[in-house]
Amino acid sequence: MVPGLALWLPSGYSWGALLLLLCSAASAGLWLRRPVASSNAWWLAGSIAFMGVVWALDLDGAGGLRNLDRAAKYFAALPCLFYLLAYPPRATSLWCGLAVGSAGSGLLAIYQAGFLGVGRVAGFTNAIQYGNLSLALGVMCGLVLCVLGTHWRRWQVAAMALAMLLGLLGSLLSLSRGGWLALALSVPLWGVLLWRSGHRAMLVRVAGLCLTGVVAALVLQGPQLWQRWEVARAEAQEYARAGQAETSVGQRLDHWQLAWSMGCDRPWTGWGRTGYAAEKQRRVAAGLAHPSVLQFDHGHNEVLDLFVKRGVAGVLALLLLYAVPWFIFWPTQRRLQVQTQAPEGTALALRLVGLALPVLYVGFGLTQAFLAHNSGNMFYLFMVMLVFAALHAPPSSAR
């Protein structure tokens, strides 16, 4: 449910998470008595808790207790993690969820663009969040297909390939350029890992399929996609020449400059949520920043946003949130030899899907404060935990 309902239903990413929370509460007496065998589980729990503490500092905002919304999600995720370790999901359930979620996202995008005439599809969230998460689902489907496609029947390969293309199409129809940047930065990594692991034939086929899909997308959406890139280039040049900050790119560049300047003034504590808004107002009034930066309450960059609001501690919490899963899921030969999930390649597929989360989120965070949104937090938290639990499931549970 977490990946399967993520984008094509309102708040779809929360349904499975809520069910997990209810299950963990109902069975706490059972899983609390089970020892946690993996030390990595404690590292993962610690990184989640640390980030939760950082979000809890948002209490200084004008919204009062409502500002604890993000922190509550992180602390609520902790019992779900230990419940999942006691009752891990099957890998095949995750594959089905990824396929349904990716396909559903693409089909909803086609409906909104083709039948409703929406210029930038956004599903039930905003276009950037929708496009990036649709891209993530498509990429994860592609990674699973590259590793396990040779073990599947033809209809399974076709279904997963179609789901992958629909997920990528959802990203294209959202016209969210930050997701394309994240994909471009991560493709070399996937190529190296898959080539090194011996999945070369399927990698070439999937790459050819993606290339065909890109060509088809360019035929259908070429003018719009090219226009988006040209607009971005022109806006960047205009900002460098005349400081034009009323455009999409110019506003981001002005946000980054302002966030860095403010963060350097208070590098250890940050300005806090209320202090950031007030100081931003003061600097705009003093002519030190463009008024366009007042439209958003974040810095349009994950690292800079946490740096200006929470200082070095906030940046460290974010780095741990990404670095711990990156380390846990990295597919070394030794790890793959120890894990024997059936069919062959399941352990590698799980590791690559898990690794895709921090890798892509780092890319998303370059141009968007992705964790400033509920969808970004919920999808990352619960997908990381689900993949981690499936990876550490007994062989009989991993089929």
Side-chain angles (χ1 to χ4, degrees), residues 114-140:
F115 293 91
L116 300 184
V118 176
R120 292 186 66 187
V121 302
F124 299 99
T125 177
N126 68 62
I128 296 176
Q129 297 294 122
Y130 184 84
N132 290 354
L133 289 178
S134 184
L135 175 81
L137 287 166
V139 168
M140 288 188 280

Side-chain angles (χ1 to χ4, degrees), residues 295-345:
Q295 299 177 28
F296 297 91
D297 61 357
H298 57 76
H300 272 296
N301 177 283
E302 206 79 73
V303 173
L304 288 175
D305 189 60
L306 278 164
F307 179 53
V308 69
K309 293 176 181 175
R310 299 302 166 201
V312 173
V315 175
L316 179 59
L318 178 67
L319 293 179
L320 281 175
L321 188 70
Y322 290 157
V324 169
W326 195 312
F327 170 78
I328 288 173
F329 292 125
W330 186 261
T332 64
Q333 290 297 325
R334 180 175 172 274
R335 287 174 170 177
L336 295 175
Q337 289 170 359
V338 170
Q339 291 170 312
T340 57
Q341 282 102 329
E344 182 184 354

Side-chain angles (χ1 to χ4, degrees), residues 72 77 81 101 131-132 135 149 162 172 187 205 229 266 268 273 284 321 325 330 337 339 362 379-381 393 397:
L81 170 61
N132 290 354
L135 175 81
L162 179 61
L172 284 174
V187 161
R205 293 172 193 165
W229 282 116
R266 291 187 180 179
W268 302 112
R273 188 167 178 167
V284 168
L321 188 70
W330 186 261
Q337 289 170 359
Q339 291 170 312
V362 168
F379 189 82
Y380 184 85
L381 276 176
S397 302

Side-chain angles (χ1 to χ4, degrees), residues 186-196 203:
S186 66
V187 161
L189 175 64
W190 310 132
V192 169
L193 291 176
L194 289 165
W195 192 270
R196 187 188 69 180
L203 172 62

